[in-house]
């Protein structure tokens, strides 16, 4: 592993020698696993326990919003009681040291911001917020047994502010992250299965535009196939190692 980390350091140095160093980190649920938040796919993944068609699609929301709320209330509880882990802190440090300019996360848990990352794009929303489908009001979710599932002051049922399957991603964020991916010359991909589109296509877009790609995952994903360096292992262990070496070099 140390040798692979050294390869990443060489890549970073090589890219940094160019005029404009533009790097982003793309994260998925694997980065929050060590914070006690389950991933979606694979063993122990949420979809082993729940049928995603019943809890994570737009059709499910329309058909049975109570069921969806039951599922998300548990998730929100977990998130509110969790803390960022060493991988979130390592990502924040990369930004602080100038080794990346933005964090594109598919996670809806807000842990990157809590770890200190500043320029975070939450492409699938944020579970700690509710949004009113009628008047557009957004607010932090607060559990109230007398108003659950929660209703807006306009009378409409509120929903978690997340992007469900079959829904489009917020267009302003989407165009921003595609532009980041297109112009980047280095990408760190952390803890995502690369199965959910359109976000899974970002590293491919960057690669086509000659960016270097570094993947941190416990398993080989399709992103690993386009990686210049693939670091297999728990990102809460591997990312801090990279940051530690970068700090030593400064
Ligand atoms: C570790 C680790 C450790 C573990 N260290 N690593 C183009 C082609 C094909 C399909 C489509 C397409 N365009 C659109 C679609 C349809 C659909 C889609 O992609 N389907 C695929 C499944 C086939 N996409 C959509 O519907 C999207 N909307 C859209 O595109 O609109 C336009 C459109 C609509 C319809 C048709 C066509 C166009 C919306 C996607 C919304 C995703 N929403 C969710 C739920 C959000 C709420 C919540 O957070 O609860 O987002 S689903 C879920 O998956 C969640 C995640 O953000 C997302 C990605 O999952 P992630 O993060 O990668 O997690 P896992 O579990 O998959 O992977 C974990 C990884 O971590 C693994 O690799 C592990 O090995 C690793 N790991 N521990 C390092 N310690
Ligand atoms: Zn409303």
């Amino acid at each position: 592993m140390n040798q692979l980390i050294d390869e990443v350091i060489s890549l970073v140095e090589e890219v940094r020698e160019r005029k404009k160093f533009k790097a982003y980190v793309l994260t998925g649920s694997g980065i929050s696993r060590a914070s006690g938040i389950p991933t979606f796919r694979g063993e122990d993944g949420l979809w082993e326990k729940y049928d995603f068609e019943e809890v994570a699609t737009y059709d499910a929301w329309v058909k049975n919003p109570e069921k969806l709320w039951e599922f998300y209330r548990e998730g929100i509880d977990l998130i509110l009681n969790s803390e960022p882990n060493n991988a979130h802190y390592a990502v924040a440090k990369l930004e602080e040291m100038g080794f990346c300019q933005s964090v594109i996360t598919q996670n809806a848990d807000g842990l990157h911001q809590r770890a200190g990352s500043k320029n975070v794009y939450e492409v699938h929303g944020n579970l700690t917020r509710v949004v009113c489908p009628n008047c557009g009001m957004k607010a932090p979710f607060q559990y109230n047994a007398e108003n659950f599932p929660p209703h807006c002051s306009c009378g409409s049922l509120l929903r978690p502010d997340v992007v469900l399957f079959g829904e489009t991603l917020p267009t302003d964020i989407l165009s921003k992250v595609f532009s980041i991916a297109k112009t980047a010359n280095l990408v760190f991909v952390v803890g995502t299965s690369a199965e959910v589109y359109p976000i899974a296509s970002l590293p491919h877009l960057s690669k086509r535009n000659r960016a270097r790609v570094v993947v941190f995952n416990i398993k080989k994903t399709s992103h690993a196939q386009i990686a210049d360096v693939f670091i297999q292992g728990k990102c809460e262990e591997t990312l801090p190692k990279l940051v530690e070496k970068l700090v030593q070099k400064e």
Side-chain angles (χ1 to χ4, degrees), residues 29 40-41 72 106 124 163 166-167 191-193 197 217 235-236:
S29 61
F40 295 91
R41 296 161 190 85
Y72 280 114
Q106 298 167 89
H124 291 159
V163 182
E167 291 187 310
T192 175
S193 61
Y197 288 85
N217 202 304
C235 61
E236 61 274 18

Side-chain angles (χ1 to χ4, degrees), residues 27-31 33-34 39-41 47 56 71-72 106-108 124 127 162-169 190-198 216-219 221 233-236:
T27 66
S29 61
I31 197 170
R33 188 68 201 87
T39 59
F40 295 91
R41 296 161 190 85
W47 303 156
F71 170 72
Y72 280 114
Q106 298 167 89
N107 302 342
H124 291 159
L127 258 179
V162 290
V163 182
L164 302 169
F165 280 118
E167 291 187 310
T168 51
L169 281 65
V190 185
T192 175
S193 61
E195 286 191 25
V196 176
Y197 288 85
F216 296 84
N217 202 304
I218 50 171
K219 284 192 187 144
T221 62
K234 293 181 175 176
C235 61
E236 61 274 18

Side-chain angles (χ1 to χ4, degrees), residues 32 35-38 40 72-84 107-111 114 126-129 162:
S32 295
S35 295
I37 301 172
F40 295 91
Y72 280 114
R73 199 193 137 200
E74 219 176 280
I76 295 168
D77 230 35
L78 198 63
I79 285 170
L80 293 177
N81 288 304
S82 65
E83 297 296 329
N107 302 342
D109 54 30
L111 291 180
R114 286 176 56 198
N126 189 308
L127 258 179
T128 65
R129 265 193 325 256
V162 290

Side-chain angles (χ1 to χ4, degrees), residues 104-212:
I104 300 173
T105 187
Q106 298 167 89
N107 302 342
D109 54 30
L111 291 180
H112 282 299
Q113 294 92 325
R114 286 176 56 198
S117 286
K118 299 278 183 283
N119 203 21
V120 182
Y121 296 89
E122 292 179 316
V123 288
H124 291 159
N126 189 308
L127 258 179
T128 65
R129 265 193 325 256
V130 286
V131 60
C132 176
N134 182 43
C135 71
M137 189 279 300
K138 288 192 184 197
F141 171 75
Q142 274 169 338
Y143 178 68
N144 172 359
E146 282 162 28
N147 181 23
F148 190 81
H151 284 75
C152 182
S153 54
C154 78
S156 171
L157 183 63
L158 291 165
R159 55 167 281 183
D161 190 13
V162 290
V163 182
L164 302 169
F165 280 118
E167 291 187 310
T168 51
L169 281 65
T171 45
D172 51 338
I173 296 186
L174 200 58
S175 62
K176 183 70 195 168
V177 299
F178 267 89
S179 145
I180 290 170
K182 217 170 177 175
T183 54
N185 35 39
L186 182 62
V187 190
F188 299 101
V189 186
V190 185
T192 175
S193 61
E195 286 191 25
V196 176
Y197 288 85
I199 296 307
S201 66
L202 293 180
H204 296 274
L205 175 64
S206 304
K207 183 82 180 182
R208 279 200 300 279
N209 287 287
R210 301 196 190 174
R212 303 300 202 132

